[in-house]
Amino acid sequence: MESTVQRHLKENILSLVVPVHNEEATINIFYNTIEKLKPNLTADVHYHFIDDGSTDSTLSILRDLSKINDNVHYISFSRNFGKESGLYAGLQQADGDYVAVMDVDLQDPPELLPEMLREVQNGEYDAVGTRRANRNGEAKIRSWFSEQFYTWMNKISQTHLVDGARDYRVMTRQMVDAILSLSENQRFSKGIFTWVGFNTKYIPFENRERVAGNTSWSFWSLTKYAIEGVVSFSTVPLTVITVLGLLSFALSLLSAAFIVIRALVNNNSVAGWPSMVTIVLFIGGIQLLSLGVIGRYMAAIFLETKKRPIFIKKEEN
């Protein structure tokens, strides 16, 4: 993979990293919107679209755009590797001294881009990100789970996640190089953006709907993404099951002592089947839960030790 040291950086260039997956309905709308904004931007824009194994005409549209604009670049994956891989590939390809990450569906307000870029160029901030001020238009159950994720994640992790924070942000080259230095396979960018540090400002905005097309994020995929975040940035679940194990062991010793004393005092050997079954189920449930948590961390270790590439290119321009 290309080294960040060897990359020839281009001054006063804003590299716009845009992961896409089956977004044939939105790409041209996004491109035309950014083109209209260019007079308000204090840097030239280079597009870096990352096609994450799309099965529609996304790649064909990207090819056409690259033919009419030399500043439009793209990478097409050999299959769907996920948005995290797309972000990493885009940051690798970006050659500007300023780098922005943005979704193609225009849920990220493009009109904020000039302000975000100016704030970073002024040198006061290393990054200017965005966060949703509300979740209007989103299913209530989904909003509730999102809020709970941020609340509990910030309690169990030393890496603070801003509630409602989006991947949409403008960063300096120094911060991007720091992010690229974390080459882990199991990636959780929201945590990585925070973990690397640097002075970051967040701009709130009202939630908005997609401009076209359908989202590829289902409730289940978001749940898996949340679990990935917990495994990547917290070991508290392992501590919890350790405490549960110690408590279970202590309770078993107390129960054994109680049973022996009761048998000696009452000379009654009749077993309490309901209580015994309850205890067995309780202990068995804790054991299965503990094995599941430990197994998830072991799976992460297993995948990292394979040293598989984060993505595989099929086509690039």
Side-chain angles (χ1 to χ4, degrees):
M1 292 184 181
E2 184 181 22
S3 168
T4 58
V5 177
Q6 296 174 341
R7 184 189 293 108
H8 178 65
L9 301 182
K10 299 177 181 177
E11 296 182 359
N12 205 38
I13 295 294
L14 174 65
S15 293
L16 191 57
V17 175
V18 190
V20 292
H21 177 64
N22 292 338
E23 293 285 1
E24 61 183 4
T26 59
I27 294 175
N28 283 321
I29 300 174
F30 173 85
Y31 174 77
N32 292 330
T33 301
I34 300 300
E35 285 295 295
K36 292 177 182 178
L37 275 178
K38 285 176 69 173
N40 301 324
L41 295 171
T42 51
D44 196 13
V45 176
H46 285 193
Y47 298 88
H48 298 273
F49 291 97
I50 312 300
D51 173 31
D52 188 19
S54 297
T55 55
D56 60 2
S57 59
T58 291
L59 181 57
S60 177
I61 295 172
L62 295 180
R63 290 178 182 140
D64 292 341
L65 285 177
S66 68
K67 291 176 182 177
I68 64 174
N69 187 342
D70 291 337
N71 290 333
V72 173
H73 310 281
Y74 65 86
I75 294 175
S76 180
F77 290 170
S78 60
R79 64 169 177 83
N80 179 245
F81 283 88
K83 184 181 179 181
E84 290 296 326
S85 298
L87 283 175
Y88 187 78
L91 294 179
Q92 274 200 332
Q93 190 190 55
D95 53 6
D97 46 2
Y98 302 102
V99 180
V101 175
M102 197 171 181
D103 284 347
V104 75
D105 55 18
L106 295 183
Q107 285 187 294
D108 298 330
E111 62 271 16
L112 294 179
L113 194 57
E115 177 188 353
M116 295 164 67
L117 178 60
R118 284 194 299 269
E119 296 249 21
V120 173
Q121 287 178 322
N122 290 338
E124 185 177 355
Y125 298 100
D126 301 293
V128 175
T130 58
R131 66 176 183 85
R132 292 188 294 183
N134 56 59
R135 300 181 185 275
N136 295 338
E138 189 175 77
K140 290 184 177 180
I141 185 65
R142 182 165 167 171
S143 297
W144 184 83
F145 275 108
S146 295
E147 291 169 0
Q148 294 304 308
F149 168 74
Y150 282 104
T151 298
W152 287 101
M153 188 65 181
N154 287 329
K155 288 181 179 180
I156 66 176
S157 173
Q158 294 181 343
T159 302
H160 179 75
L161 301 182
V162 176
D163 189 3
R166 301 279 293 176
D167 292 330
Y168 182 30
R169 63 192 63 219
V170 176
M171 300 172 284
T172 61
R173 168 53 52 185
Q174 184 183 19
M175 181 171 176
V176 171
D177 287 344
I179 293 169
L180 290 174
S181 69
L182 304 179
S183 58
E184 58 210 59
N185 186 281
Q186 305 297 295
R187 303 186 68 79
F188 182 70
S189 288
K190 281 184 171 60
I192 291 175
F193 289 150
T194 302
W195 187 90
V196 296
F198 296 96
N199 193 13
T200 302
K201 173 184 177 180
Y202 286 92
I203 300 176
F205 69 91
E206 296 292 319
N207 190 40
R208 56 178 64 181
E209 298 294 326
R210 290 174 57 93
V211 68
N214 298 310
T215 181
S216 58
W217 287 94
S218 65
F219 182 79
W220 175 239
S221 62
L222 287 171
T223 301
K224 291 192 293 182
Y225 188 59
I227 293 173
E228 199 68 55
V230 173
V231 173
S232 297
F233 286 92
S234 177
T235 57
V236 168
L238 293 175
T239 303
V240 170
I241 63 174
T242 300
V243 172
L244 284 175
L246 290 173
L247 288 175
S248 298
F249 178 69
L251 287 173
S252 66
L253 290 178
L254 291 174
S255 298
F258 173 76
I259 291 171
V260 170
I261 293 172
R262 186 179 66 174
L264 292 174
V265 172
N266 296 333
N267 193 26
N268 185 358
S269 61
V270 177
W273 290 104
S275 59
M276 183 178 70
V277 170
T278 300
I279 292 172
V280 169
L281 291 175
F282 175 72
I283 299 299
I286 291 179
Q287 289 175 333
L288 289 175
L289 173 63
S290 301
L291 286 173
V293 173
I294 294 172
R296 186 60 191 82
Y297 279 90
M298 290 182 65
I301 296 171
F302 173 68
L303 292 173
E304 289 292 340
T305 57
K306 285 177 174 288
K307 300 296 181 183
R308 288 177 176 172
I310 297 174
F311 60 89
I312 297 175
K313 298 178 185 178
K314 181 180 179 181
E315 184 177 332
E316 180 179 11
N317 176 53

